[in-house]
Amino acid sequence: MSGLVSALLNATNFRTPFLRTLIPSIGLAYGLQAAVAIPSILGQTERFYDASGSVTYIACTALSLYLPTLRARLAPGTASGQTAAWPSLLASLTSKGGPGLWNWRQVVLSAAVSIWAARLGSFLFSRVTSEGGRDSRFDSIRGSPAKFGVAFFLQATWVSLCLMPVLAVNSIPSAALGALPFFTITDILGLLMYVGGITFEATADKQKSQWMQEKKEKRHNEDFLTRGLWGKSRHPNYFGESTLWTGIATTAAGVMLSSAGQAGMGFSGSGAARLGALAMAGISPAFVTFLLLKVSGIPMSENKYDERYGNRKDYQDWKKNTPMFIPKL
């Protein structure tokens, strides 16, 4: 196994640190999704679709974080375990970076993704399990191997694009990040947005789950939720999702646009290189928000509810008085 890993690492040992991290991480995303797609297609089940997405996020993030150490430990001619001790996560939380340590941003951004993925993945898996392993999104495609396979391919693409800023930051040698101030305004702004976004998303999901449970227990007869955060936005969970990824991208962009970040990724530091780095950071929240607003999030939900309740005055009033995405104050 170590020989295979060494061969793969050698094949992806590109000149720039950015590509040395990006290519293996994206390769892992598509590999994991393919591994889950095959039995899912054969069994015509989407039970593990969302859970596999969360696992892929966590696995790719971890790989990008540990890749430099893994390469050092498995370098040709190096006895395993005699060089490059595994960095300490706890010690790195207060570190600007250096030998045997990560920069704290690398640890915090990786943890932010992992916390989000674990929470959302467990929530979605619990929901699909409670519904007998069926998800209405897949009703028209689970019987078609080609279409169902595309769904897994798109999930790998989603993971790759959303993780782009985190993969970029993790590709930078931690010693290079020591030139940065310990805190910057983009660090503070980005982390506040992340905390606010994931709190908003988790609260909205909890309110929706509680409302659905109360309906099963016949404690109310409402057909759609208009209380709590759902009275501030018709899709508060999606707003929280977009916000948290914007926060991650903001913190990452501050690093990627800095001179230390540019040099550490192997970029030239020119205006074009910095613009490219900004685009790579921005693709994450832009892609998430596009999916939520135009593809699989809000359009599917709105169409479903419009078909069911579009002729009811209470539903029309809720739509008229409640913003679709950005919550009202």
Side-chain angles (χ1 to χ4, degrees):
M1 176 62 77
S2 62
L4 176 60
V5 173
S6 296
L8 290 173
L9 292 178
N10 185 60
T12 57
N13 192 26
F14 299 101
R15 182 176 61 85
T16 63
F18 176 66
L19 288 179
R20 285 201 298 270
T21 297
L22 181 71
I23 301 303
S25 300
I26 291 180
L28 179 62
Y30 284 95
L32 288 175
Q33 285 302 295
V36 178
I38 293 172
S40 296
I41 291 171
L42 292 175
Q44 294 188 11
T45 175
E46 63 273 21
R47 181 184 293 270
F48 301 104
Y49 181 81
D50 289 315
S52 73
S54 294
V55 170
T56 302
Y57 267 105
I58 295 171
C60 292
T61 300
L63 178 64
S64 70
L65 193 62
Y66 282 96
L67 257 177
T69 305
L70 191 61
R71 289 185 185 279
R73 291 174 67 91
L74 296 179
T78 299
S80 178
Q82 293 187 359
T83 61
W86 298 109
S88 167
L89 284 169
L90 290 178
S92 297
L93 284 173
T94 56
S95 170
K96 292 180 68 176
L101 293 171
W102 290 293
N103 180 273
W104 71 265
R105 296 172 183 85
Q106 295 172 315
V107 176
V108 169
L109 288 177
S110 297
V113 170
S114 300
I115 290 170
W116 165 82
R119 188 209 73 81
L120 185 61
S122 60
F123 170 77
L124 293 176
F125 182 71
S126 175
R127 186 176 70 179
V128 75
T129 300
S130 68
E131 296 176 357
R134 311 289 281 186
D135 186 330
S136 60
R137 293 177 301 169
F138 297 89
D139 286 346
S140 63
I141 67 172
R142 74 168 66 86
S144 169
K147 292 180 179 179
F148 204 7
V150 168
F152 286 92
F153 174 84
L154 291 177
Q155 180 153 257
T157 303
W158 170 53
V159 172
S160 300
L161 290 176
C162 288
L163 276 183
M164 189 72 68
V166 178
L167 298 180
V169 170
N170 286 349
S171 76
I172 303 171
S174 62
L177 296 178
L180 294 176
F182 194 81
F183 274 118
T184 66
I185 186 63
T186 53
D187 295 330
I188 297 171
L189 180 60
L191 293 178
L192 285 176
M193 292 178 70
Y194 170 82
V195 172
I198 196 169
T199 300
F200 210 84
E201 180 184 52
T203 301
D205 284 341
K206 182 178 180 180
Q207 289 177 350
K208 185 68 172 286
S209 296
Q210 183 177 352
W211 176 84
M212 292 176 68
Q213 182 61 35
E214 290 173 353
K215 186 170 184 177
K216 289 180 181 179
E217 296 171 354
K218 301 189 184 304
R219 295 167 61 183
H220 68 76
N221 60 356
E222 300 168 357
D223 289 317
F224 45 90
L225 177 58
T226 61
R227 293 181 268 121
L229 295 181
W230 299 84
K232 304 293 184 182
S233 166
R234 301 204 300 274
H235 303 279
N237 52 337
Y238 294 150
F239 172 76
E241 176 101 347
S242 176
T243 301
L244 71 88
W245 282 109
T246 301
I248 289 174
T250 298
T251 296
V255 176
M256 296 165 67
L257 292 173
S258 68
S259 297
Q262 288 279 297
M265 289 188 292
F267 290 5
S268 67
S270 65
R274 293 176 193 272
L275 185 61
L278 183 62
M280 285 190 292
I283 191 64
S284 175
F287 186 66
V288 169
T289 305
F290 172 75
L291 287 180
L292 295 176
L293 290 177
K294 300 296 183 181
V295 185
S296 64
I298 291 175
M300 293 180 68
S301 179
E302 291 273 307
N303 290 338
K304 181 175 70 175
Y305 277 84
D306 284 348
E307 290 177 4
R308 291 181 183 178
Y309 313 116
N311 60 345
R312 286 174 43 169
K313 187 177 185 304
D314 56 348
Y315 177 73
Q316 293 172 0
D317 288 343
W318 177 60
K319 285 195 68 172
K320 179 181 178 181
N321 298 318
T322 308
M324 181 181 70
F325 189 64
I326 300 176
K328 62 183 178 182
L329 299 177

